[in-house]
Amino acid sequence: MAGVLVILEQRDGVLKKVSYEVVTAARSLADRLGTGVDAIAIGPMALDATGATRFGADEVVILADDHARLYQPHLYVRAVLERAKTKDYGIVLLSATALGKDLGPRLAARLGCPLAADVTDVGADDGIVVSRPVYAGKAVCRLKVVAPRCVISIRPNSVTPVEQSRTATLQHAVLGLDSEGPVARTASMKAPAEAKLDVAEASIVVSGGRGLKEPANFKLLEDLAQALGPAAVGASRAVVDAGWRVHGDQVGQTGKTVSPSLYFAIGISGAIQHLAGMRTAKVIVAINKDKDAPIFKVADYGIVGDLFEIVPRLTEEIKKVRAGA
Amino acid sequence: MKIAVCIKRVPDTETRIKIAADGRSIDESGVKFVLNPYDEYAVEEALRRKEAAGSGEVVVIALGPDAAQETIRTALAMGADRGVLLQADARVLDPSVIARALVAELRDGGYDLVLFGKLAIDDYHHAVGPMVAELLRLPCVSAAARLELGDGKATAEREVEGGVEVVEFPLPAVLTADKGLNEPRYPALKGIMAAKKKPLEVKPVTLEAGGLEVLELALPPERKPGRILGEGPGAVPALIRALRTEAKVL
């Protein structure tokens, strides 16, 4: 049986949590298919990819070069194509992060195979079957792979990483640097003054909408997020369009689709486009002054009332819980 | 500057999705279709680049049913010069099939820039642009929120988790547009009138079957009905209790 190849993702030489999610998914697929899991880690010389072996990879190939400190699409494409020449892989798995959303389609195009993008579930019963939200989560499509090979990207937070000890090999190899034609190169990465957790990757998201009344009031949500920590602050389309928050924070059909374990919708009425982006959260809490707001229809827990009174109290209580825990 | 913009006809974001009787597609009755919102940024960017260059051509290409002519007319009304409809009625859920069909049209077009929206809000693939780029062996930046064009060289910025990547690339190239790239214009009445007379070529295409077969399209599982814990800050302790002991997420 053809193997499973995982593309690991790093930042500053450290594997990201999404890498463990993907290795976990790969292990469970490989066990059902009776095959192995190989992983490729590309990054700077200081790259530490040993973590991947703890989550079920059989072999981890480390391609470390300081030219690969940042994501360089052509280096990744080349590394995977070369690897795929030496060994038969039926499934190439990666995370549907900014990197994976760019790399997945490139790999599928060059490997001449289909791409199942941003899936929330992948199984192997009678062939490979994936589920992927479409129409921004207003519907879910189940697809069967009817090709000998497939690239699959998995939505962050849809798999819980599971550690499992096994004997794995780590192997260092040389990253080929030349390209076969003109390419796009990532020259630099502008990081915000304060490191910020992305709403798509965070396991707790605190989102605000027009009910916050003005941009400065998002401080209330930032305080709550900090008390909950680590948590990201998200926003509805209305406040992004008004310029209160950046587009990267937007949750919804023309923003990000998120699946955190805990989602707070604060001062958000719950337009259909917003609900589409967060309905796969495990637990939803809504705080809104309008008891008839549509957000209460999807929320697990709701509090009706003035968010300016409720949120500071909530932050205080969470701080107490965190201090006691 | 010759620019191609690949666009798609999609259900409006307000649409409530209903599943068709076949269980594999949506019920399109009563659904309003629009130009994919991210494609609006791509069309706008193309128009601005052509205007800045002082000459050139903006060609919009759509793959879809005959009704997608309307979507092309929207882009023509914004100011694009001509349109091409690759007419296919089949809905294919494998983005590589779409990419290959577009490549056949784009390959000998002599385009300096091929633009896409970063994703279509129906299929949510975020894939066709980078696929086309790889198949044409062109440099590609996906989800670009900023673009600067120099002499044969360009710089784009894309938002990633925890920062913004600054990407340099030569032309010709493929770029997919994110929100923030620009503020798309509304078609003016004059543009809408002019669009009716602009050339729109319809080319029937036959799509391959693709490597993904739709088993089922379903509405997402209903969430279990939740409950209102109370009114005002007095309800906060009840919420904390529920999150800790019932949902076990704190």
Side-chain angles (χ1 to χ4, degrees), chain B residues 10-77:
Chain B
V10 298
D12 185 74
T13 58
E14 298 275 351
T15 308
R16 289 191 182 277
I17 299 295
K18 281 177 287 181
I19 307 297
D22 68 0
R24 293 196 176 93
S25 57
I26 64 162
D27 177 356
E28 295 192 354
S29 59
V31 172
K32 181 186 162 208
F33 285 87
V34 296
L35 171 60
N36 177 41
Y38 289 103
D39 298 351
E40 291 180 14
Y41 303 108
V43 172
E44 177 65 35
E45 197 60 27
L47 298 175
R48 291 186 188 192
R49 296 300 159 184
K50 181 193 150 186
E51 284 157 12
S55 67
E57 187 184 28
V58 174
V59 183
V60 287
I61 303 168
L63 188 148
D66 201 47
Q69 285 198 40
E70 226 178 288
T71 318
I72 293 176
R73 292 283 174 205
T74 304
L76 295 177

Side-chain angles (χ1 to χ4, degrees), chain A residues 208-223 233-235 238-246 249 307-308:
Chain A
R210 254 192 297 230
L212 268 294
K213 293 203 170 87
E214 56 179 288
N217 293 333
F218 267 79
K219 176 78 170 57
L220 288 174
L221 304 196
E222 274 151 19
D223 291 345
V233 176
V239 301
V240 170
D241 283 354
W244 297 5
R245 306 294 288 181
V246 296
D249 295 347
L307 70 91
F308 295 100

Side-chain angles (χ1 to χ4, degrees), chain B residues 15 28 142 179 223 232 237:
Chain B
T15 308
E28 295 192 354
S142 64
K179 186 173 181 171
R223 293 190 67 93

